[in-house]
Amino acid sequence: MVCFECRDRNLQYHQIPSVILKGLSPLYIYKFFERRGKTAWDILGAVFLSITGAEAMFADLGHFNKRAIQWAFSLFVYPAVILTYAGEVAYLVQYPDQLSNAYYASIPEQIYWPMFIVSTLSAVVSSQSMISATFSIVKQSMALGCFPRVNIIHTSSKHEGQVYSPEINYILMVICVGLVVGFKGGVQLSNAYGKPLSNNTDFLRNKFPEWFFPRGGGHLGHDHNDMFDDISDAGYLGYEFPSRMRLFLPILLIEGAFMTSLLNKIPQGGWVPFAISAVFLVVMFSWTYGRSKKSLYEEERKMSLTEIGQMLSTTNLYRPPGFCFFCTDLVNGIPPIVRRYIQHTNSVREVMVIITVRTLPIKSVLPEERLVVGKLGPEGVYRCLVQFGYKDSPGMDGEDFIALVVGKLSEISETTGEKWKLRLAEESGAVFVVGRTILKSNKKKGWFARFVIDYLYRFLQKNCRAAVSALIVPPESTLQIGMVYEI
């Protein structure tokens, strides 16, 4: 819009900067729409690309604190972006035929190649927002149990949010190469990139019901960093419906204009994010559904203290000295793997320890705080929670781990005979028992449930990392038991 004004007024070269800087005024947004009409609405999708770089600030929160990002953006990034756009506009006033290559064409010949190198490096760095955000989202999804297990490597000892996943990195590489080879053009690639970054759809989807149907007697939610929650805390939602509409409609107008314009880009490459999202939705739904059914099955069939006491008290059960560690995700109760093991081997070590491993959001756990132990009903049966920090090696091999377990269990031992049995078990060695479950859907279930369990979840289970793969246990002392759960 400023370019047109400069040309219409036939300004001299020295008069252009003052007019160019007027482009910072929001008034020109109105003038642009007034003059261009539907064309202005059509290019809103391209305009939105100029602000999607702000998404990188959210990814950088895993690397820098909020104040550092605010200072860097306000004092360096924003002024640099404004000067860059203003310079391109000034150049286009004099050379309107260079519209398709305004940035590189406006660079003086003496510094062209240095700027080319800087621009290329900037393009590489800008991809960090998507890559690092993907790693963080996958890590959080795994913690919630709604994404298959992949290898997560913490790259920093100071910031827990700095993570890297080799498998996810390769998947991103294949997707990026496929998009470049498939589209072979910048317009469709920009549409594919700009569409998923439009968080205005998030506003229309989430904030609309919260704005008019607040939870907790007028409070919108629990995220106090959100602008609308701040408005709620200030008491704005205490007003009646018309007052809320006066705040909501201007934002709805802006967000709706961007969203409707971006919807026009779907046939021109904008469909790619939806396709990728659909694939990940299927993966996460299948994994969450399968894991929830598995957890429910184990919860319903876990052993009671009475049952384990009766099994251990039978006269034909062989009880050699030593430790038997049963690894399980079940925090409370005795998992069904214990029942399966005793029924099919008719033997179990004198000291049984049910182990659950947890990774805490801290760098490292002190050795004296690593184990949380407790006694279960029958003598010789214990519960042990093993805690690791995100930079700790989850190792349970070697004599040091056994000695640490014996020391902790001795602290809660009540009799001399019990302590003597623990020392004898330490000398006799240990065996680690892990379960490998296979889900099989019941024939009475519907076709959709059978398809999800028998095909989708089983495929993910076969191709993702097993739970025991993250643990360092002695392979010569590890016994894996396969179990079929009919869901």
Side-chain angles (χ1 to χ4, degrees), residues 150-378:
V150 295
N151 187 20
I152 296 293
I153 301 173
H154 290 268
T155 58
S156 172
S157 59
K158 296 182 179 179
H159 302 282
E160 196 237 345
Q162 295 186 15
V163 295
Y164 168 73
S165 174
E167 295 95 333
I168 299 300
N169 191 52
Y170 284 125
I171 292 175
L172 291 176
M173 181 194 70
V174 171
I175 293 176
C176 290
V177 173
L179 290 177
V180 173
V181 173
F183 284 136
K184 302 178 183 178
V187 175
Q188 289 181 318
L189 279 178
S190 64
N191 291 337
Y193 175 73
K195 189 68 187 74
L197 292 177
S198 55
N199 282 340
N200 49 23
T201 55
D202 176 72
F203 167 81
L204 294 175
R205 183 178 64 252
N206 296 334
K207 290 305 177 183
F208 180 81
E210 291 186 349
W211 188 260
F212 292 101
F213 306 99
R215 295 170 294 184
H219 189 60
L220 285 175
H222 303 288
D223 185 3
H224 292 274
N225 294 322
D226 192 280
M227 177 184 67
F228 299 101
D229 290 342
D230 294 338
I231 293 176
S232 173
D233 292 336
Y236 283 95
L237 289 185
Y239 294 112
E240 298 298 328
F241 183 80
S243 300
R244 300 183 185 182
M245 290 298 295
R246 283 196 297 269
L247 295 172
F248 178 76
L249 286 179
I251 301 174
L252 176 64
L253 179 64
I254 297 172
E255 300 284 350
F258 275 116
M259 189 191 72
T260 53
S261 177
L262 286 168
L263 290 177
N264 260 352
K265 308 294 182 182
I266 292 180
Q268 306 168 13
W271 57 269
V272 173
F274 291 100
I276 297 175
S277 300
V279 172
F280 278 94
L281 177 63
V282 171
V283 170
M284 296 180 69
F285 171 77
S286 304
W287 185 259
T288 304
Y289 181 77
R291 293 287 294 178
S292 63
K293 292 297 182 181
K294 175 178 176 292
S295 300
L296 182 61
Y297 184 94
E298 291 181 342
E299 185 69 27
E300 293 175 347
R301 290 163 176 79
K302 65 182 181 181
M303 299 181 67
S304 63
L305 297 179
T306 303
E307 183 183 1
I308 188 64
Q310 292 176 352
M311 295 189 73
L312 295 179
S313 61
T314 55
T315 56
N316 60 343
L317 182 66
Y318 180 56
R319 300 293 302 274
F323 279 98
C324 187
F325 295 104
F326 290 93
C327 302
T328 178
D329 292 332
L330 197 64
V331 178
N332 298 315
I334 302 174
I337 185 178
V338 178
R339 181 190 299 112
R340 179 69 60 88
Y341 179 83
I342 296 177
Q343 285 177 347
H344 289 273
T345 63
N346 200 33
S347 66
V348 68
R349 299 290 183 99
E350 285 188 340
V351 180
M352 258 174 43
V353 183
I354 314 297
I355 284 185
T356 302
V357 179
R358 288 290 179 265
T359 300
L360 303 180
I362 58 177
K363 175 184 175 182
S364 181
V365 177
L366 297 176
E368 57 270 19
E369 299 177 356
R370 180 153 296 167
L371 302 182
V372 180
V373 299
K375 296 181 63 175
L376 295 179

